[in-house]
């Protein structure tokens, strides 16, 4: 299995790029310079297209920054945080006391869950979505009020607002949503967050915000600046390629940020701090990652079109498509052929989420999917 897959990928690459890889010739391959700069890793076995990672990272500059930081790795990170916090604050247009560094945005979600939703409290969220905040809050005794996505597989904002009660301590949104990749209309989500934040805390998970194609689409940081009861989470795990480094942050009103900071568990390490500082300054890798994600996503969509499989318009680094079979069974078949795809997302059990890997990885996924569902 290992040889046949690698042999296919090698022959595809030698045979001349995207025309062979996609069957259409519509997409570019990596140049030798891009490979040297951005793609030094060998192919995984199996190919990992199930966790929405950026396979091109960390960039060479970020790697060097982390290696250079070994000299101070004997020190605790507390006194090294400030420059990164200041960079993030400048990026978001807030003061540093609005920012909470966390070990990946998942830690931010979890500490928010236990801060605002204890035993007998309620969190309201759409379903399916990213579960970390709700799962953790539930572990500590909170109740989750699940609101199914609407017929278009969007958050049902009207129903969520209708369900807010004195028992509700927090409302969770993931925008773009994971696993659907869909983006809520800007005016609707702004109005919703502004209205609901007068009644309870609103959490806006914006892990995939970098992939949004509308440059004017608003982050809910806009409402944080206005003093609303809003918490926004962002991460360097996705477009910056730092999923394994564990670095994210929350943006909230200073009094809220202080409360959340007191509950941080893992803290950010020296290597993550230096990686983050360099990553935020490095525009070349950032733009490269966005471009390759777009190319890979179009490759997947082209194959889904050929197979006549419905899929949702994605504003993220994955595609959610209707597989016409149980997602668990499809995942088993794909894994046997050397590709990991996303887990099931109940109640949409016949839908599958596939991440955008390198162009070569996606080309192999396309080949296997055609063999399996064609």
């Amino acid at each position: 299995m290992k040889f046949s897959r690698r042999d296919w990928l090698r022959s595809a690459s030698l045979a001349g790029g995207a025309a062979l890889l996609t069957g259409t010739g519509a997409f570019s391959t990596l140049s030798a310079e891009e490979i040297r700069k951005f793609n030094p890793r060998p192919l995984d076995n199996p190919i990992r297209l199930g966790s929405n990672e950026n396979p091109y990272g960390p960039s060479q500059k970020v790697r060097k920054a982390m290696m250079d930081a070994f000299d101070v790795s004997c020190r605790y990170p507390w006194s090294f945080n400030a420059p990164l916090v200041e960079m993030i604050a400048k990026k978001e247009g807030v003061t540093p006391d609005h920012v909470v560094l966390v070990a990946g945005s998942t830690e931010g979600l979890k500490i928010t869950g236990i801060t605002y939703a204890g035993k007998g409290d309620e969190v309201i969220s759409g379903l399916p979505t990213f579960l970390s905040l709700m799962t953790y809050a539930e572990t500590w005794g909170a109740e989750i009020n699940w609101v199914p996505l609407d017929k278009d597989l969007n958050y049902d904002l009207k129903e969520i607002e209708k369900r807010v009660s004195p028992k509700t301590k927090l409302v969770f949104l993931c925008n773009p949503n994971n696993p659907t990749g869909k983006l809520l209309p800007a005016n609707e989500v702004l109005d919703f967050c502004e209205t609901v934040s007068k009644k309870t805390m609103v959490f806006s998970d914006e892990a995939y915000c970098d992939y949004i194609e509308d440059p004017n689409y608003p982050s809910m940081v806009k409402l944080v600046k206005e003093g609303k009861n809003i918490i926004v989470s962002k991460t360097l795990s996705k477009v910056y390629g730092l999923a394994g480094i564990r670095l994210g942050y929350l943006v909230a009103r200073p009094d809220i940020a202080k409360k959340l900071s007191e509950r941080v568990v893992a803290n950010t390490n020296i290597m993550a701090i230096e990686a983050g500082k360099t990553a935020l300054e490095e525009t070349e890798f950032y733009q490269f990652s966005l471009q390759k994600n777009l190319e890979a996503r179009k490759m997947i969509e082209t194959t889904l079109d050929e197979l006549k499989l419905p899929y949702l318009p994605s504003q993220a680094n994955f595609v959610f498509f209707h597989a016409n079979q149980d997602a668990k069974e499809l995942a088993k078949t794909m894994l046997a052929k050397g590709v990991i795809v996303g887990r099931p997302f109940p109640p949409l059990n016949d839908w599958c989420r596939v991440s955008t890997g390198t162009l070569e990885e996606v080309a192999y996924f396309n080949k296997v999917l055609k063999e399996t569902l064609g």
Side-chain angles (χ1 to χ4, degrees), residues 36 43 61 82 101 191 244 278 312 350 358:
R36 185 186 69 78
L43 286 166
K61 288 182 180 178
L101 286 183
D191 181 65
T278 303
L312 301 182
D350 55 354
T358 66

Side-chain angles (χ1 to χ4, degrees), residues 166-177:
K167 186 180 179 181
T168 307
K169 302 305 178 185
L170 185 138
V171 170
F172 175 83
L173 297 179
C174 182
N175 190 36
N177 190 21

Side-chain angles (χ1 to χ4, degrees), residues 23 53 56 77 89 136 144 148 187 199 203 220 243 264 275 286 320 331:
E53 298 154 329
Y56 296 107
Y136 206 64
I144 312 303
N187 291 337
K199 304 173 185 177
F203 191 101
M220 293 307 103
V264 169
Y286 181 87
F320 198 49

Side-chain angles (χ1 to χ4, degrees), residues 260-279:
L260 293 168
S261 294
E262 292 167 353
R263 288 161 174 80
V264 169
V265 178
N267 290 298
T268 310
N269 64 75
I270 292 282
M271 304 305 165
I273 291 168
E274 295 307 314
K277 286 162 57 179
T278 303

Side-chain angles (χ1 to χ4, degrees), residues 109-129:
L109 273 71
K110 289 182 175 182
I111 64 173
T112 302
I114 61 172
T115 299
Y116 288 96
K119 189 172 182 179
D121 295 328
E122 177 187 78
V123 176
I124 302 179
S125 174
L127 187 72
T129 194

Side-chain angles (χ1 to χ4, degrees), residues 177-195:
N177 190 21
N178 177 14
T180 67
K182 295 194 75 176
L183 190 63
L184 287 162
N187 291 337
E188 288 183 27
V189 71
L190 272 170
D191 181 65
F192 172 86
C193 288
E194 189 164 12
T195 301

